[in-house]
PDB file of all heavy atoms in Angstrom:
ATOM      1  N   SER A   1       4.291   5.919  -4.244  1.00  0.00           N
ATOM      2  CA  SER A   1       3.325   5.455  -5.236  1.00  0.00           C
ATOM      3  C   SER A   1       2.335   4.465  -4.630  1.00  0.00           C
ATOM      4  O   SER A   1       1.150   4.562  -4.934  1.00  0.00           O
ATOM      5  CB  SER A   1       4.067   4.787  -6.374  1.00  0.00           C
ATOM      6  OG  SER A   1       4.976   5.650  -7.028  1.00  0.00           O
ATOM      7  N   VAL A   2       2.778   3.504  -3.825  1.00  0.00           N
ATOM      8  CA  VAL A   2       1.979   2.571  -3.121  1.00  0.00           C
ATOM      9  C   VAL A   2       0.952   3.350  -2.242  1.00  0.00           C
ATOM     10  O   VAL A   2      -0.297   2.974  -2.219  1.00  0.00           O
ATOM     11  CB  VAL A   2       2.719   1.519  -2.364  1.00  0.00           C
ATOM     12  CG1 VAL A   2       1.787   0.665  -1.572  1.00  0.00           C
ATOM     13  CG2 VAL A   2       3.559   0.680  -3.336  1.00  0.00           C
ATOM     14  N   ALA A   3       1.389   4.324  -1.530  1.00  0.00           N
ATOM     15  CA  ALA A   3       0.492   5.069  -0.645  1.00  0.00           C
ATOM     16  C   ALA A   3      -0.622   5.786  -1.458  1.00  0.00           C
ATOM     17  O   ALA A   3      -1.796   5.771  -1.034  1.00  0.00           O
ATOM     18  CB  ALA A   3       1.317   6.051   0.201  1.00  0.00           C
ATOM     19  N   VAL A   4      -0.217   6.392  -2.527  1.00  0.00           N
ATOM     20  CA  VAL A   4      -1.198   7.111  -3.406  1.00  0.00           C
ATOM     21  C   VAL A   4      -2.178   6.085  -3.999  1.00  0.00           C
ATOM     22  O   VAL A   4      -3.434   6.345  -4.028  1.00  0.00           O
ATOM     23  CB  VAL A   4      -0.569   7.919  -4.503  1.00  0.00           C
ATOM     24  CG1 VAL A   4      -1.541   8.442  -5.508  1.00  0.00           C
ATOM     25  CG2 VAL A   4       0.199   9.076  -3.903  1.00  0.00           C
ATOM     26  N   LEU A   5      -1.714   5.029  -4.457  1.00  0.00           N
ATOM     27  CA  LEU A   5      -2.648   3.965  -4.975  1.00  0.00           C
ATOM     28  C   LEU A   5      -3.539   3.372  -3.924  1.00  0.00           C
ATOM     29  O   LEU A   5      -4.677   3.068  -4.177  1.00  0.00           O
ATOM     30  CB  LEU A   5      -1.855   2.876  -5.704  1.00  0.00           C
ATOM     31  CG  LEU A   5      -1.421   3.273  -7.140  1.00  0.00           C
ATOM     32  CD1 LEU A   5      -0.223   2.436  -7.600  1.00  0.00           C
ATOM     33  CD2 LEU A   5      -2.579   3.038  -8.107  1.00  0.00           C
ATOM     34  N   ALA A   6      -2.968   3.116  -2.730  1.00  0.00           N
ATOM     35  CA  ALA A   6      -3.749   2.616  -1.649  1.00  0.00           C
ATOM     36  C   ALA A   6      -4.891   3.579  -1.185  1.00  0.00           C
ATOM     37  O   ALA A   6      -5.934   3.075  -0.746  1.00  0.00           O
ATOM     38  CB  ALA A   6      -2.848   2.325  -0.470  1.00  0.00           C
ATOM     39  N   ARG A   7      -4.644   4.852  -1.440  1.00  0.00           N
ATOM     40  CA  ARG A   7      -5.628   5.845  -1.047  1.00  0.00           C
ATOM     41  C   ARG A   7      -6.580   6.208  -2.130  1.00  0.00           C
ATOM     42  O   ARG A   7      -7.811   6.343  -1.889  1.00  0.00           O
ATOM     43  CB  ARG A   7      -4.943   7.172  -0.631  1.00  0.00           C
ATOM     44  CG  ARG A   7      -5.907   8.283  -0.219  1.00  0.00           C
ATOM     45  CD  ARG A   7      -6.723   7.955   0.998  1.00  0.00           C
ATOM     46  NE  ARG A   7      -7.591   9.027   1.307  1.00  0.00           N
ATOM     47  CZ  ARG A   7      -8.838   9.083   0.862  1.00  0.00           C
ATOM     48  NH1 ARG A   7      -9.328   8.205  -0.007  1.00  0.00           N
ATOM     49  NH2 ARG A   7      -9.659  10.102   1.182  1.00  0.00           N
ATOM     50  N   HIS A   8      -6.147   6.211  -3.426  1.00  0.00           N
ATOM     51  CA  HIS A   8      -6.947   6.705  -4.464  1.00  0.00           C
ATOM     52  C   HIS A   8      -7.199   5.738  -5.653  1.00  0.00           C
ATOM     53  O   HIS A   8      -7.939   6.022  -6.591  1.00  0.00           O
ATOM     54  CB  HIS A   8      -6.350   7.961  -5.091  1.00  0.00           C
ATOM     55  CG  HIS A   8      -6.186   9.051  -4.161  1.00  0.00           C
ATOM     56  ND1 HIS A   8      -7.198   9.772  -3.658  1.00  0.00           N
ATOM     57  CD2 HIS A   8      -5.074   9.643  -3.665  1.00  0.00           C
ATOM     58  CE1 HIS A   8      -6.765  10.701  -2.814  1.00  0.00           C
ATOM     59  NE2 HIS A   8      -5.491  10.615  -2.790  1.00  0.00           N
ATOM     60  N   GLY A   9      -6.646   4.533  -5.529  1.00  0.00           N
ATOM     61  CA  GLY A   9      -6.832   3.480  -6.602  1.00  0.00           C
ATOM     62  C   GLY A   9      -8.195   2.933  -6.484  1.00  0.00           C
ATOM     63  O   GLY A   9      -8.983   3.126  -5.577  1.00  0.00           O
ATOM     64  N   ALA A  10      -8.646   2.107  -7.509  1.00  0.00           N
ATOM     65  CA  ALA A  10      -9.915   1.549  -7.528  1.00  0.00           C
ATOM     66  C   ALA A  10     -10.159   0.522  -6.367  1.00  0.00           C
ATOM     67  O   ALA A  10     -11.291   0.305  -6.016  1.00  0.00           O
ATOM     68  CB  ALA A  10     -10.110   0.788  -8.899  1.00  0.00           C
ATOM     69  N   ARG A  11      -9.088   0.021  -5.854  1.00  0.00           N
ATOM     70  CA  ARG A  11      -9.253  -0.931  -4.647  1.00  0.00           C
ATOM     71  C   ARG A  11      -8.730  -0.265  -3.415  1.00  0.00           C
ATOM     72  O   ARG A  11      -8.195  -0.920  -2.496  1.00  0.00           O
ATOM     73  CB  ARG A  11      -8.481  -2.184  -4.949  1.00  0.00           C
ATOM     74  CG  ARG A  11      -9.079  -3.019  -6.042  1.00  0.00           C
ATOM     75  CD  ARG A  11      -8.405  -4.337  -6.232  1.00  0.00           C
ATOM     76  NE  ARG A  11      -7.120  -4.307  -6.881  1.00  0.00           N
ATOM     77  CZ  ARG A  11      -6.991  -4.296  -8.219  1.00  0.00           C
ATOM     78  NH1 ARG A  11      -8.045  -4.268  -8.955  1.00  0.00           N
ATOM     79  NH2 ARG A  11      -5.774  -4.203  -8.773  1.00  0.00           N
ATOM     80  N   SER A  12      -8.869   1.055  -3.320  1.00  0.00           N
ATOM     81  CA  SER A  12      -8.375   1.831  -2.179  1.00  0.00           C
ATOM     82  C   SER A  12      -9.235   1.626  -0.963  1.00  0.00           C
ATOM     83  O   SER A  12     -10.391   1.215  -0.945  1.00  0.00           O
ATOM     84  CB  SER A  12      -8.277   3.303  -2.554  1.00  0.00           C
ATOM     85  OG  SER A  12      -9.539   3.840  -2.764  1.00  0.00           O
ATOM     86  N   SER A  13      -8.559   2.039   0.174  1.00  0.00           N
ATOM     87  CA  SER A  13      -9.301   2.033   1.448  1.00  0.00           C
ATOM     88  C   SER A  13      -8.942   3.395   2.167  1.00  0.00           C
ATOM     89  O   SER A  13      -7.737   3.689   2.261  1.00  0.00           O
ATOM     90  CB  SER A  13      -8.925   0.859   2.305  1.00  0.00           C
ATOM     91  OG  SER A  13      -9.447   0.988   3.585  1.00  0.00           O
ATOM     92  N   ALA A  14      -9.911   4.042   2.694  1.00  0.00           N
ATOM     93  CA  ALA A  14      -9.681   5.316   3.369  1.00  0.00           C
ATOM     94  C   ALA A  14      -9.190   5.095   4.779  1.00  0.00           C
ATOM     95  O   ALA A  14      -8.639   6.031   5.442  1.00  0.00           O
ATOM     96  CB  ALA A  14     -10.922   6.168   3.365  1.00  0.00           C
ATOM     97  N   ALA A  15      -9.366   3.907   5.288  1.00  0.00           N
ATOM     98  CA  ALA A  15      -8.983   3.617   6.717  1.00  0.00           C
ATOM     99  C   ALA A  15      -7.465   3.515   6.756  1.00  0.00           C
ATOM    100  O   ALA A  15      -6.826   2.742   6.148  1.00  0.00           O
ATOM    101  CB  ALA A  15      -9.566   2.330   7.143  1.00  0.00           C
ATOM    102  N   PRO A  16      -6.812   4.420   7.641  1.00  0.00           N
ATOM    103  CA  PRO A  16      -5.325   4.384   7.735  1.00  0.00           C
ATOM    104  C   PRO A  16      -4.749   3.035   8.070  1.00  0.00           C
ATOM    105  O   PRO A  16      -3.730   2.647   7.439  1.00  0.00           O
ATOM    106  CB  PRO A  16      -5.083   5.419   8.849  1.00  0.00           C
ATOM    107  CG  PRO A  16      -6.218   6.272   8.844  1.00  0.00           C
ATOM    108  CD  PRO A  16      -7.428   5.439   8.435  1.00  0.00           C
ATOM    109  N   PRO A  17      -5.307   2.238   8.959  1.00  0.00           N
ATOM    110  CA  PRO A  17      -4.738   0.909   9.207  1.00  0.00           C
ATOM    111  C   PRO A  17      -4.642  -0.012   7.928  1.00  0.00           C
ATOM    112  O   PRO A  17      -3.652  -0.650   7.752  1.00  0.00           O
ATOM    113  CB  PRO A  17      -5.603   0.269  10.300  1.00  0.00           C
ATOM    114  CG  PRO A  17      -6.206   1.430  10.962  1.00  0.00           C
ATOM    115  CD  PRO A  17      -6.411   2.480   9.892  1.00  0.00           C
ATOM    116  N   ARG A  18      -5.724   0.037   7.164  1.00  0.00           N
ATOM    117  CA  ARG A  18      -5.749  -0.786   5.938  1.00  0.00           C
ATOM    118  C   ARG A  18      -4.775  -0.247   4.854  1.00  0.00           C
ATOM    119  O   ARG A  18      -4.159  -1.053   4.206  1.00  0.00           O
ATOM    120  CB  ARG A  18      -7.194  -0.747   5.394  1.00  0.00           C
ATOM    121  CG  ARG A  18      -8.156  -1.634   6.239  1.00  0.00           C
ATOM    122  CD  ARG A  18      -9.492  -1.819   5.604  1.00  0.00           C
ATOM    123  NE  ARG A  18      -9.302  -2.675   4.482  1.00  0.00           N
ATOM    124  CZ  ARG A  18     -10.337  -2.975   3.592  1.00  0.00           C
ATOM    125  NH1 ARG A  18     -11.497  -2.505   3.830  1.00  0.00           N
ATOM    126  NH2 ARG A  18     -10.114  -3.794   2.565  1.00  0.00           N
ATOM    127  N   MET A  19      -4.690   1.124   4.866  1.00  0.00           N
ATOM    128  CA  MET A  19      -3.703   1.656   3.880  1.00  0.00           C
ATOM    129  C   MET A  19      -2.293   1.234   4.261  1.00  0.00           C
ATOM    130  O   MET A  19      -1.489   0.879   3.434  1.00  0.00           O
ATOM    131  CB  MET A  19      -3.791   3.224   3.936  1.00  0.00           C
ATOM    132  CG  MET A  19      -4.959   3.779   3.157  1.00  0.00           C
ATOM    133  SD  MET A  19      -4.994   5.605   3.257  1.00  0.00           S
ATOM    134  CE  MET A  19      -3.359   5.945   2.478  1.00  0.00           C
ATOM    135  N   LEU A  20      -1.900   1.361   5.612  1.00  0.00           N
ATOM    136  CA  LEU A  20      -0.591   0.948   6.059  1.00  0.00           C
ATOM    137  C   LEU A  20      -0.349  -0.580   5.743  1.00  0.00           C
ATOM    138  O   LEU A  20       0.766  -0.928   5.390  1.00  0.00           O
ATOM    139  CB  LEU A  20      -0.485   1.268   7.544  1.00  0.00           C
ATOM    140  CG  LEU A  20      -0.435   2.757   7.879  1.00  0.00           C
ATOM    141  CD1 LEU A  20      -0.423   2.876   9.419  1.00  0.00           C
ATOM    142  CD2 LEU A  20       0.763   3.376   7.287  1.00  0.00           C
ATOM    143  N   ALA A  21      -1.423  -1.375   5.913  1.00  0.00           N
ATOM    144  CA  ALA A  21      -1.204  -2.770   5.618  1.00  0.00           C
ATOM    145  C   ALA A  21      -0.933  -3.006   4.215  1.00  0.00           C
ATOM    146  O   ALA A  21      -0.069  -3.852   3.882  1.00  0.00           O
ATOM    147  CB  ALA A  21      -2.470  -3.519   6.069  1.00  0.00           C
ATOM    148  N   GLN A  22      -1.634  -2.261   3.303  1.00  0.00           N
ATOM    149  CA  GLN A  22      -1.355  -2.415   1.863  1.00  0.00           C
ATOM    150  C   GLN A  22       0.095  -2.029   1.481  1.00  0.00           C
ATOM    151  O   GLN A  22       0.730  -2.667   0.675  1.00  0.00           O
ATOM    152  CB  GLN A  22      -2.381  -1.522   1.033  1.00  0.00           C
ATOM    153  CG  GLN A  22      -3.739  -2.105   0.916  1.00  0.00           C
ATOM    154  CD  GLN A  22      -4.578  -1.240  -0.004  1.00  0.00           C
ATOM    155  OE1 GLN A  22      -5.114  -0.209   0.440  1.00  0.00           O
ATOM    156  NE2 GLN A  22      -4.771  -1.581  -1.232  1.00  0.00           N
ATOM    157  N   ILE A  23       0.544  -0.954   2.117  1.00  0.00           N
ATOM    158  CA  ILE A  23       1.902  -0.473   1.898  1.00  0.00           C
ATOM    159  C   ILE A  23       2.888  -1.498   2.411  1.00  0.00           C
ATOM    160  O   ILE A  23       3.843  -1.852   1.724  1.00  0.00           O
ATOM    161  CB  ILE A  23       2.161   0.871   2.552  1.00  0.00           C
ATOM    162  CG1 ILE A  23       1.327   1.982   1.956  1.00  0.00           C
ATOM    163  CG2 ILE A  23       3.637   1.209   2.533  1.00  0.00           C
ATOM    164  CD1 ILE A  23       1.294   3.225   2.617  1.00  0.00           C
ATOM    165  N   ALA A  24       2.684  -2.059   3.596  1.00  0.00           N
ATOM    166  CA  ALA A  24       3.574  -3.049   4.201  1.00  0.00           C
ATOM    167  C   ALA A  24       3.684  -4.295   3.433  1.00  0.00           C
ATOM    168  O   ALA A  24       4.676  -4.976   3.347  1.00  0.00           O
ATOM    169  CB  ALA A  24       3.182  -3.305   5.669  1.00  0.00           C
ATOM    170  N   ARG A  25       2.547  -4.747   2.756  1.00  0.00           N
ATOM    171  CA  ARG A  25       2.520  -5.941   2.002  1.00  0.00           C
ATOM    172  C   ARG A  25       3.126  -5.817   0.636  1.00  0.00           C
ATOM    173  O   ARG A  25       3.303  -6.824  -0.112  1.00  0.00           O
ATOM    174  CB  ARG A  25       1.102  -6.465   1.873  1.00  0.00           C
ATOM    175  CG  ARG A  25       0.522  -7.030   3.162  1.00  0.00           C
ATOM    176  CD  ARG A  25      -0.766  -7.841   2.870  1.00  0.00           C
ATOM    177  NE  ARG A  25      -1.773  -7.150   2.081  1.00  0.00           N
ATOM    178  CZ  ARG A  25      -2.728  -6.454   2.616  1.00  0.00           C
ATOM    179  NH1 ARG A  25      -2.884  -6.361   3.942  1.00  0.00           N
ATOM    180  NH2 ARG A  25      -3.639  -5.751   1.828  1.00  0.00           N
ATOM    181  N   ASN A  26       3.288  -4.609   0.155  1.00  0.00           N
ATOM    182  CA  ASN A  26       3.705  -4.414  -1.288  1.00  0.00           C
ATOM    183  C   ASN A  26       5.076  -4.920  -1.498  1.00  0.00           C
ATOM    184  O   ASN A  26       6.044  -4.596  -0.714  1.00  0.00           O
ATOM    185  CB  ASN A  26       3.668  -2.891  -1.584  1.00  0.00           C
ATOM    186  CG  ASN A  26       3.914  -2.622  -2.977  1.00  0.00           C
ATOM    187  OD1 ASN A  26       5.099  -2.483  -3.436  1.00  0.00           O
ATOM    188  ND2 ASN A  26       2.854  -2.576  -3.810  1.00  0.00           N
ATOM    189  N   PRO A  27       5.278  -5.800  -2.471  1.00  0.00           N
ATOM    190  CA  PRO A  27       6.650  -6.386  -2.758  1.00  0.00           C
ATOM    191  C   PRO A  27       7.706  -5.349  -3.052  1.00  0.00           C
ATOM    192  O   PRO A  27       8.881  -5.580  -2.762  1.00  0.00           O
ATOM    193  CB  PRO A  27       6.411  -7.330  -3.887  1.00  0.00           C
ATOM    194  CG  PRO A  27       5.145  -6.835  -4.505  1.00  0.00           C
ATOM    195  CD  PRO A  27       4.294  -6.253  -3.497  1.00  0.00           C
ATOM    196  N   TYR A  28       7.314  -4.156  -3.731  1.00  0.00           N
ATOM    197  CA  TYR A  28       8.335  -3.159  -3.990  1.00  0.00           C
ATOM    198  C   TYR A  28       8.885  -2.527  -2.701  1.00  0.00           C
ATOM    199  O   TYR A  28      10.136  -2.230  -2.614  1.00  0.00           O
ATOM    200  CB  TYR A  28       7.739  -2.098  -4.904  1.00  0.00           C
ATOM    201  CG  TYR A  28       7.408  -2.497  -6.266  1.00  0.00           C
ATOM    202  CD1 TYR A  28       7.499  -3.754  -6.708  1.00  0.00           C
ATOM    203  CD2 TYR A  28       6.913  -1.490  -7.132  1.00  0.00           C
ATOM    204  CE1 TYR A  28       7.123  -4.135  -8.005  1.00  0.00           C
ATOM    205  CE2 TYR A  28       6.543  -1.869  -8.455  1.00  0.00           C
ATOM    206  CZ  TYR A  28       6.657  -3.176  -8.840  1.00  0.00           C
ATOM    207  OH  TYR A  28       6.349  -3.549 -10.154  1.00  0.00           O
ATOM    208  N   VAL A  29       8.040  -2.436  -1.711  1.00  0.00           N
ATOM    209  CA  VAL A  29       8.468  -1.698  -0.478  1.00  0.00           C
ATOM    210  C   VAL A  29       9.450  -2.658   0.317  1.00  0.00           C
ATOM    211  O   VAL A  29      10.544  -2.231   0.815  1.00  0.00           O
ATOM    212  CB  VAL A  29       7.263  -1.410   0.409  1.00  0.00           C
ATOM    213  CG1 VAL A  29       7.685  -0.840   1.756  1.00  0.00           C
ATOM    214  CG2 VAL A  29       6.429  -0.297  -0.312  1.00  0.00           C
ATOM    215  N   TRP A  30       8.965  -3.894   0.529  1.00  0.00           N
ATOM    216  CA  TRP A  30       9.870  -4.837   1.334  1.00  0.00           C
ATOM    217  C   TRP A  30      11.167  -5.174   0.588  1.00  0.00           C
ATOM    218  O   TRP A  30      12.195  -5.500   1.177  1.00  0.00           O
ATOM    219  CB  TRP A  30       9.108  -6.059   1.839  1.00  0.00           C
ATOM    220  CG  TRP A  30       8.465  -6.963   0.868  1.00  0.00           C
ATOM    221  CD1 TRP A  30       7.100  -7.102   0.702  1.00  0.00           C
ATOM    222  CD2 TRP A  30       9.046  -7.925  -0.054  1.00  0.00           C
ATOM    223  NE1 TRP A  30       6.820  -8.069  -0.281  1.00  0.00           N
ATOM    224  CE2 TRP A  30       8.027  -8.580  -0.758  1.00  0.00           C
ATOM    225  CE3 TRP A  30      10.369  -8.327  -0.379  1.00  0.00           C
ATOM    226  CZ2 TRP A  30       8.199  -9.575  -1.690  1.00  0.00           C
ATOM    227  CZ3 TRP A  30      10.601  -9.252  -1.278  1.00  0.00           C
ATOM    228  CH2 TRP A  30       9.552  -9.896  -1.963  1.00  0.00           C
ATOM    229  N   SER A  31      11.155  -5.166  -0.771  1.00  0.00           N
ATOM    230  CA  SER A  31      12.367  -5.497  -1.451  1.00  0.00           C
ATOM    231  C   SER A  31      13.369  -4.314  -1.308  1.00  0.00           C
ATOM    232  O   SER A  31      14.592  -4.452  -1.240  1.00  0.00           O
ATOM    233  CB  SER A  31      12.114  -5.694  -2.959  1.00  0.00           C
ATOM    234  OG  SER A  31      11.460  -4.652  -3.556  1.00  0.00           O
ATOM    235  N   CYS A  32      12.842  -3.066  -1.181  1.00  0.00           N
ATOM    236  CA  CYS A  32      13.669  -1.894  -0.900  1.00  0.00           C
ATOM    237  C   CYS A  32      14.282  -2.028   0.513  1.00  0.00           C
ATOM    238  O   CYS A  32      15.509  -1.768   0.694  1.00  0.00           O
ATOM    239  CB  CYS A  32      12.887  -0.606  -0.943  1.00  0.00           C
ATOM    240  SG  CYS A  32      12.355  -0.045  -2.580  1.00  0.00           S
ATOM    241  N   ALA A  33      13.547  -2.524   1.432  1.00  0.00           N
ATOM    242  CA  ALA A  33      14.064  -2.673   2.766  1.00  0.00           C
ATOM    243  C   ALA A  33      15.147  -3.789   2.797  1.00  0.00           C
ATOM    244  O   ALA A  33      16.189  -3.570   3.510  1.00  0.00           O
ATOM    245  CB  ALA A  33      12.916  -3.068   3.666  1.00  0.00           C
ATOM    246  N   ILE A  34      14.925  -4.872   2.101  1.00  0.00           N
ATOM    247  CA  ILE A  34      15.934  -5.937   2.070  1.00  0.00           C
ATOM    248  C   ILE A  34      17.226  -5.417   1.469  1.00  0.00           C
ATOM    249  O   ILE A  34      18.358  -5.677   1.951  1.00  0.00           O
ATOM    250  CB  ILE A  34      15.435  -7.162   1.304  1.00  0.00           C
ATOM    251  CG1 ILE A  34      14.263  -7.818   2.112  1.00  0.00           C
ATOM    252  CG2 ILE A  34      16.542  -8.231   1.053  1.00  0.00           C
ATOM    253  CD1 ILE A  34      13.570  -8.908   1.310  1.00  0.00           C
TER     254      ILE A  34
END
């Protein structure tokens, strides 16, 4: 979900590094990892 929003949301970025950064910063993702 974060990846799709990072790519197609209103505040999306097509650049892969910025997309990955958005995914890495997302609290849902790091809470899953913890």
Side-chain angles (χ1 to χ4, degrees):
S1 297
V2 171
V4 168
L5 279 157
R7 178 65 183 86
H8 300 292
R11 293 186 283 277
S12 65
S13 171
R18 292 189 64 185
M19 284 181 58
L20 291 175
Q22 282 184 282
I23 293 171
R25 290 196 305 267
N26 188 271
Y28 291 5
V29 174
W30 56 252
S31 57
C32 289
I34 292 173

